[in-house]
């Protein structure tokens, strides 16, 4: 039963991946192609059966008809950086022609590619996610516009060189006329291209907004509907525990407890997913925020809950006066609570645990820092910190479900802010987030 369920789950995941609208390809560390989305295959004129299982550069070689082709060299260098550093690598706009399906030549293409590592719990590289954006239309329009501009410049130069030659008056007029015609052509072409790109951009933004709303609605509905069966499982397990406790041996009671513990943990995961989904639906209310006050009250709330689990452990707070901000007070309070809870949790093994909070205004941004002397983290896994349900430590070491930092990041991004982290294993971590000086009230 379990193996059959796992197989179906794996097949479903494969179908979901292949159907995503983005251009994605999955590579093994030896650069063998493991999977590709349908959109990627359409964009590269490739067929899945002829791609999966083959080496990347056997499927997508350089165009031999382009002497300046450097797509393979640049992509190989980027992938090697990912393999060696275990961190994402964003490439510059790149010309990389794709083979025609009939094998008769190549089609000129331009891409904006990036590569991302997928690591196991021990930090070993399992896969590389290659993501691409097809920017061919933009690149060709820019190329054509540059050629037109060069034509205009050349015609103007010819006219200028002949300007002092009174005997060549007719030639002057012809050169000037040619320059003016080319400039008009270039301007008309530029206006048409800009209009087309604007419409395409508007369409893409509308599609993205619609997709985001659908995804948020789906996440909310699924999470909400999952709670009812969980309550039933927990309820019946409790009934069994109470009604036939005297008929159960120690091992049976332990298994019932495992069921209830896992149900409660699943409940916490669902609540976190619901909260994350609500953040995309909630209207923001802009008002002045006393960051010093909510940082202090946030710490007091965290410490009160922390002390219930660790009554003998104390955490010292060093709080500087913080610059006031503007934003949604309940949501920014949640940011402070999540970051301070994270700092307290990972400082539990330090008998002299301390948290330092500071802030400053830097040009048009407000900067806030939360530093602790706790467990810290390996910077190789920095990109996983803000992923939903991502954990860098085992559950047996530190409690939690891996949602707090993801929620904090999403709140800050909705405010036009950013967050980043620095850490050293065994020495602590520093989380730095920024907010704009002012926030527009929603319409």
């Amino acid at each position: 039963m379990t193996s059959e369920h796992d197989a179906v789950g794996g097949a479903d995941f494969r179908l979901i991946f292949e159907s995503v609208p983005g251009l994605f390809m999955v590579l093994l560390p030896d650069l063998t192609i493991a999977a590709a989305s349908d959109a990627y295959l359409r964009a590269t004129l490739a067929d899945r059966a002829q791609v999966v299982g083959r080496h990347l550069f056997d499927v997508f070689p350089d165009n031999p008809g382009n002497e300046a082709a450097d797509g393979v060299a640049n992509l190989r260098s980027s992938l090697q950086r990912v393999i060696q550093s275990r961190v994402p690598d964003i490439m510059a706009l790149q010309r990389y022609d794709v083979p025609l399906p009939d094998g008769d030549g190549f089609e000129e293409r331009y891409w904006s590619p990036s590569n991302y590592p997928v690591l196991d719990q021990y930090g070993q590289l399992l896969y590389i996610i290659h993501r691409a954006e097809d920017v061919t239309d933009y690149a060709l329009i820019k190329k054509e516009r540059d050629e037109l501009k060069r034509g205009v410049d050349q015609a103007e130069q010819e006219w200028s060189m002949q300007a002092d030659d009174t005997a060549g008056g007719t030639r002057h007029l012809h050169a000037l006329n040619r320059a003016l015609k080319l400039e008009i052509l270039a301007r008309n072409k530029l206006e048409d291209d800009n209009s087309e790109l604007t419409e395409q951009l508007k369409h893409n933004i509308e599609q993205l907004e619609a997709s985001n709303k659908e995804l948020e609605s789906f996440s909310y509905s699924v999470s909400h509907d999952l709670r009812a069966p969980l309550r039933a499982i927990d309820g019946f397990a409790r009934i069994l525990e109470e009604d036939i406790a005297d008929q159960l041996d120690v091992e049976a009671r332990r298994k019932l407890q495992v069921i209830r513990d896992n149900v409660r943990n699943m409940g916490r995961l669902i609540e976190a997913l619901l909260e994350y989904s609500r953040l995309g639906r909630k209207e923001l209310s802009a008002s002045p925020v006393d960051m010093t006050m909510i940082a202090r009250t946030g710490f007091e709330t965290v410490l009160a809950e922390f002390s219930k689990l660790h009554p003998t452990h104390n955490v010292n707070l060093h709080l500087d006066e913080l610059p006031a901000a503007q934003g949604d007070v309940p949501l920014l309070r949640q940011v402070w609570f999540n970051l301070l809870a994270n700092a307290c949790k990972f400082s539990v093994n330090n008998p002299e645990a301390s948290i330092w909070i500071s802030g400053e205004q830097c040009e048009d941004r407000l900067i806030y820092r939360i530093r602790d002397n706790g467990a810290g983290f390996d910077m190789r896994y920095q990109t996983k910190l803000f992923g939903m349900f991502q954990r860098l430590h085992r559950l047996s070491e530190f409690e939690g479900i891996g949602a707090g930092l993801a929620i904090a990041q999403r709140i800050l991004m909705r405010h036009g802010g950013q967050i980043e982290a620095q850490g050293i294993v065994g020495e602590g971590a520093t989380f730095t987030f920024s907010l704009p000086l002012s926030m527009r009230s929603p319409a």
Side-chain angles (χ1 to χ4, degrees):
M1 180 76 72
T2 302
S3 60
E4 181 182 352
H5 172 77
D6 290 344
V8 173
D12 288 345
F13 180 78
R14 177 180 57 79
L15 290 173
I16 291 170
F17 171 76
E18 291 175 357
S19 302
V20 296
L23 277 58
F24 293 95
M25 180 168 57
V26 181
L27 302 171
L28 298 177
D30 64 358
L31 305 187
T32 297
I33 299 172
S37 65
D38 292 339
Y40 189 91
L41 295 173
R42 286 194 298 271
T44 56
L45 311 178
D47 179 80
R48 179 170 285 106
Q50 298 173 349
V51 166
V52 174
R54 297 179 60 195
H55 193 276
L56 172 63
F57 298 122
D58 290 340
V59 178
F60 300 110
D62 273 331
N63 179 0
N66 177 18
E67 295 181 359
D70 57 3
V72 168
N74 290 339
L75 179 54
R76 190 192 303 275
S77 296
S78 174
L79 293 169
Q80 286 301 322
R81 287 193 292 272
V82 172
I83 291 170
Q84 292 169 8
S85 66
R86 304 290 201 271
V87 297
D89 190 81
I90 312 300
M91 299 177 62
L93 188 145
Q94 172 70 55
R95 176 176 175 178
Y96 201 134
D97 299 344
V98 296
L100 294 172
D102 59 6
D104 186 21
F106 284 71
E107 184 172 300
E108 183 176 350
R109 289 295 185 87
Y110 294 83
W111 312 89
S112 176
S114 49
N115 299 295
Y116 303 85
V118 178
L119 309 176
D120 66 13
Q121 59 181 328
Y122 304 109
Q124 298 301 309
L125 184 67
L126 295 178
Y127 304 99
I128 300 172
I129 304 292
H130 173 72
R131 178 179 179 274
E133 300 261 356
D134 188 347
V135 294
T136 303
D137 290 343
Y138 164 79
L140 292 179
I141 287 171
K142 185 176 183 301
K143 183 179 177 182
E144 185 177 353
R145 192 169 59 200
D146 291 343
E147 289 174 354
L148 284 170
K149 186 177 184 304
R150 282 195 295 272
V152 171
D153 291 343
Q154 182 180 353
E156 289 177 343
Q157 187 177 14
E158 291 175 5
W159 176 81
S160 177
M161 291 173 63
Q162 297 172 2
D164 296 332
D165 182 6
T166 54
T170 302
R171 292 197 304 274
H172 302 162
L173 290 174
H174 281 306
L176 178 59
N177 187 48
R178 178 167 172 255
L180 289 173
K181 285 181 177 179
L182 283 170
E183 184 169 358
I184 291 170
L185 179 63
R187 289 182 182 275
N188 289 340
K189 179 65 176 173
L190 179 59
E191 288 175 3
D192 292 343
D193 292 342
N194 283 344
S195 176
E196 183 181 342
L197 286 173
T198 300
E199 285 300 315
Q200 184 62 43
L201 180 60
K202 181 181 177 183
H203 177 68
N204 290 344
I205 290 172
E206 289 173 352
Q207 280 192 320
L208 180 61
E209 289 176 346
S211 296
N212 284 340
K213 287 179 181 178
E214 289 176 6
L215 182 60
E216 288 170 359
S217 178
F218 174 76
S219 298
Y220 186 87
S221 300
V222 169
S223 302
H224 185 271
D225 293 344
L226 281 174
R227 289 191 293 184
L230 277 180
R231 284 195 294 268
I233 294 170
D234 186 54
F236 280 108
R238 180 173 52 80
I239 291 171
L240 281 173
E241 198 173 41
E242 293 174 354
D243 291 358
I244 60 172
D246 55 343
Q247 303 175 37
L248 300 176
D249 58 21
V250 174
E251 179 61 15
R253 286 195 293 271
R254 186 191 70 80
K255 289 177 179 177
L256 271 179
Q257 189 59 47
V258 168
I259 292 173
R260 298 196 65 192
D261 288 345
N262 279 277
V263 165
R264 281 192 288 269
N265 187 54
M266 186 63 186
R268 287 193 290 269
L269 292 173
I270 291 172
E271 287 300 326
L273 190 57
L274 280 170
E275 183 178 356
Y276 191 77
S277 177
R278 290 188 195 107
L279 290 175
R281 305 152 69 96
K282 183 183 184 301
E283 291 288 341
L284 297 186
S285 175
S287 60
V289 184
D290 185 339
M291 297 293 264
T292 306
M293 183 190 71
I294 65 172
R296 180 180 292 108
T297 56
F299 175 77
E300 291 169 354
T301 304
V302 168
L303 194 61
E305 295 189 10
F306 186 74
S307 298
K308 296 176 184 176
L309 298 173
H310 308 280
T312 61
H313 190 72
N314 188 44
V315 181
N316 298 309
L317 176 65
H318 305 274
L319 175 61
D320 293 347
E321 191 69 25
L322 304 177
Q326 198 174 54
D328 189 294
V329 177
L331 289 183
L332 291 180
R333 183 180 290 116
Q334 185 68 51
V335 169
W336 281 106
F337 180 87
N338 289 7
L339 294 177
L340 289 166
N342 187 76
C344 284
K345 176 173 67 177
F346 289 102
S347 301
V348 67
N349 295 326
N350 188 342
E352 298 180 355
S354 292
I355 296 175
W356 294 265
I357 300 177
S358 61
E360 62 182 324
Q361 179 178 331
C362 183
E363 297 180 352
D364 61 344
R365 308 289 290 180
L366 298 170
I367 312 295
Y368 303 92
R369 295 181 183 85
I370 301 97
R371 179 168 65 89
D372 64 67
N373 58 354
F377 63 90
D378 192 326
M379 288 293 289
R380 289 181 298 172
Y381 313 130
Q382 182 187 29
T383 55
K384 295 179 64 177
L385 277 175
F386 300 101
M388 194 64 173
F389 304 135
Q390 293 287 335
R391 294 177 54 88
L392 301 188
H393 301 82
R394 290 189 296 271
L395 188 59
S396 58
E397 294 179 300
F398 300 100
E399 72 274 2
I401 58 174
L405 295 180
I407 290 171
Q409 183 190 50
R410 190 167 197 191
I411 293 172
L412 291 168
M413 289 177 67
R414 289 209 63 197
H415 281 77
Q418 297 176 323
I419 185 169
E420 60 182 26
Q422 300 288 324
I424 299 176
V425 176
E427 296 186 19
T430 300
F431 286 82
T432 304
F433 70 88
S434 66
L435 292 168
L437 275 178
S438 60
M439 172 185 164
R440 292 182 181 177
S441 299

